[in-house]
Amino acid sequence: MDHFDDTAPLHLETLALREGQLRTDEGAHGEPIFTTSSYVFDSAAQAAARFSGDEPGNIYSRFTNPTVRSFEQRLAAMEGAERCVATASGMAAILSTVMALLEAGDEIISSRSVFGTTNVLFEKYLQKFGIKTTFVSLTDMGQWEAAITSKTKLLFLETPSNPLCEVANVVHLAELAHNHGALLVVDNCFCTPALQRPLEFGADIALHSATKFLDGQGRCIGGAVCGRNELMEEVFGFLRSAGPTMSPFNAWVFLKGLETLSLRMQAHSANALRLADWLEQHVAVEKVFYAGLPSHPQHLLAREQQSAFGGVLSFRVKGGREQAWGVIDDTRFLSITGNLGDAKTTITHPATTTHGRLSDEAKAEAGISENLIRVAVGLEHIDDIKADLARGLNKLI
Ligand SMILES: *Cc1c(COP(=O)(O)O)cnc(C)c1O
């Protein structure tokens, strides 16, 4: 007879289906969507108690909504966080975090290899409110250490990075942050908790653009911030006052996305690894960037931090812009778009789209060359994806 420890915590796959499940008296098996802006009270006294905070409960959907709460509870459990706060977008998650936890005079150290709009938010907008950001190389610990000052309050990074798949050592960066009284925030968009849980490695906050893999089918914009109660209470407070909350309909779509997240991330990763292997052998390809390849400089670190390597890779073709565009234009079904994290494979020329705003100098520093192509590998049959790319690549031989 098999013996199971029924006090053991549930596994991520089970939490993804069961945590935060909403059951109403109607007995619906699917989660209901609470499309309501406000909530009614049994009496004037109850209304007063809710508003004063003496009685917990719903008041208004800018603060709380049962469908949104269900998504928050599920994602928090999957990230191993005490609490999750859902937001209207990934950018709203980042904005809410910095607005809640920082003030004028504080400083951020951010990896240079972050989502382009994150760069703009830090450099253009936070600057206006007296928060300075220093950008450093994701993988160069010396640069992070050198950038720390007595005003540093927050270290910010994405790992693996976009589009070159560099991997940061989260344990080392968490230690550095904590030794200086700062917080480490990891944008966990590329791996999702199905492959990587930054809080287990010492990060204080894991945040998301739910728009990408959490939804997984390109339907909705949303975001989330996960961490300990004391920090999330501040983030929630900002959200309640400023308003970039997640809609209940989007929360319901993301709940459904979480149910299949683990399966999808494994399938994305398996397809991406096979594509990376194949590209590495192709004579028209100069270099492949994917942490799953043994040739990747942080391959061993990625194996420690991640259970698989994710769906995004990039590669340089032999030649320049003309050759890269040729490969992209010769595909028949890959989607030419800047987005990623979709069941459908997407293909992007970073130098002229997602990273097009960077100066030539900044592009060179970040490795965004004209012959670089990014592929966010989807769930089509791997041989069809290869064939779609082979059409253009074979012309370069
Ligand atoms: C897309 C993305 C964001 C921004 O998310 P939105 O939902 O588009 O606001 C932030 N970080 C990363 C890594 C992303 O890919």
Side-chain angles (χ1 to χ4, degrees):
M1 200 166 47
D2 289 332
H3 287 279
F4 295 99
D5 174 6
D6 61 10
T7 61
L10 296 175
H11 294 86
L12 180 120
E13 292 80 358
T14 311
L15 295 171
L17 285 150
R18 296 297 180 177
E19 187 67 24
Q21 205 167 318
L22 268 177
R23 283 273 163 78
T24 67
D25 292 344
E26 302 296 339
H29 195 201
E31 288 78 359
I33 307 177
F34 283 82
T35 52
T36 181
S37 52
S38 64
Y39 303 84
V40 292
F41 310 106
D42 293 337
S43 64
Q46 189 188 41
R50 287 273 176 90
F51 273 81
S52 72
D54 288 344
E55 180 186 301
N58 299 311
I59 299 175
Y60 190 56
S61 279
R62 172 155 37 78
F63 323 158
T64 62
N65 175 281
T67 312
V68 177
R69 188 182 320 126
S70 184
F71 165 75
E72 290 173 335
Q73 287 175 351
R74 189 168 293 180
L75 185 60
M78 292 170 73
E79 281 287 6
E82 285 177 0
R83 183 170 170 190
C84 164
V85 179
T87 58
S89 66
M91 290 319 302
I94 299 171
L95 176 70
S96 302
T97 301
V98 294
M99 291 301 275
L101 302 174
L102 270 57
E103 58 188 41
D106 290 344
E107 294 181 5
I108 298 173
I109 307 174
S110 172
S111 158
R112 202 173 280 124
S113 315
V114 289
F115 188 65
T117 312
T118 307
N119 260 300
V120 177
L121 174 70
F122 287 175
E123 216 163 22
K124 180 166 176 193
Y125 293 101
L126 295 186
Q127 181 85 37
K128 290 207 295 190
F129 297 95
I131 296 170
K132 183 185 143 196
T133 304
T134 309
F135 292 95
V136 297
S137 155
L138 178 68
T139 54
D140 185 342
M141 272 307 283
Q143 286 192 25
W144 288 90
E145 281 161 13
I148 292 250
T149 75
S150 59
K151 294 178 184 163
T152 305
K153 283 286 159 57
L154 197 146
L155 273 54
F156 188 95
L157 61 91
E158 287 166 26
T159 180
S161 70
N162 174 16
L164 295 182
C165 297
E166 294 171 307
V167 178
N169 190 319
V170 178
V171 170
H172 289 175
L173 285 160
E175 263 173 33
L176 179 68
H178 299 158
N179 286 342
H180 292 83
L183 299 170
L184 178 65
V185 178
V186 176
D187 182 335
N188 201 25
C189 180
F190 271 47
C191 275
T192 82
L195 304 185
Q196 167 176 274
R197 283 174 294 284
L199 303 185
E200 288 175 2
F201 295 103
D204 300 280
I205 289 176
L207 56 77
H208 285 278
S209 167
T211 315
K212 313 294 167 54
F213 291 103
L214 298 191
D215 172 10
Q217 295 183 54
R219 297 166 292 196
C220 286
I221 302 276
V225 190
C226 304
R228 54 185 181 271
N229 282 326
E230 131 217 3
L231 298 175
M232 291 310 102
E233 190 56 32
E234 297 298 321
V235 175
F236 173 70
F238 173 77
L239 222 70
R240 181 178 169 149
S241 303
T245 32
M246 179 180 282
S247 89
F249 176 79
N250 289 6
W252 180 83
V253 173
F254 295 134
L255 267 171
K256 292 289 144 193
L258 291 181
E259 290 184 354
T260 57
L261 181 66
S262 188
L263 275 178
R264 285 187 288 106
M265 292 312 291
Q266 286 165 35
H268 280 293
S269 301
N271 263 0
L273 185 57
R274 290 171 72 184
L275 186 67
D277 269 335
W278 176 79
L279 286 168
E280 206 170 40
Q281 310 296 323
H282 200 290
V283 292
V285 173
E286 194 179 277
K287 189 170 170 60
V288 182
F289 302 89
Y290 186 62
L293 292 173
S295 60
H296 186 282
Q298 291 112 27
H299 176 63
L300 292 179
L301 175 61
R303 290 183 87 109
E304 280 170 33
Q305 281 181 181
Q306 307 169 209
S307 61
F309 305 101
V312 184
L313 61 81
S314 61
F315 61 99
R316 291 197 178 120
V317 296
K318 289 194 175 140
R321 179 188 295 191
E322 191 189 326
Q323 286 69 26
W325 279 18
V327 170
I328 294 171
D329 290 341
D330 273 340
T331 61
R332 289 192 187 141
F333 70 82
L334 299 198
S335 311
I336 304 173
T337 168
N339 200 24
L340 58 92
D342 199 292
K344 302 183 182 92
T345 299
T346 64
I347 188 164
T348 312
H349 185 244
T352 50
T353 59
T354 52
H355 294 68
R357 278 176 302 196
L358 297 184
S359 66
D360 287 348
E361 203 180 26
K363 276 185 207 166
E365 202 171 8
I368 311 297
S369 52
E370 289 287 336
N371 60 349
L372 185 75
I373 295 174
R374 186 189 73 191
V375 179
V377 186
L379 305 180
E380 301 94 343
H381 194 286
I382 183 62
D383 290 346
D384 296 331
I385 299 172
K386 286 181 192 169
D388 221 18
L389 287 165
R391 201 172 299 110
L393 283 172
N394 290 344
K395 287 188 190 165
L396 303 181
I397 300 172

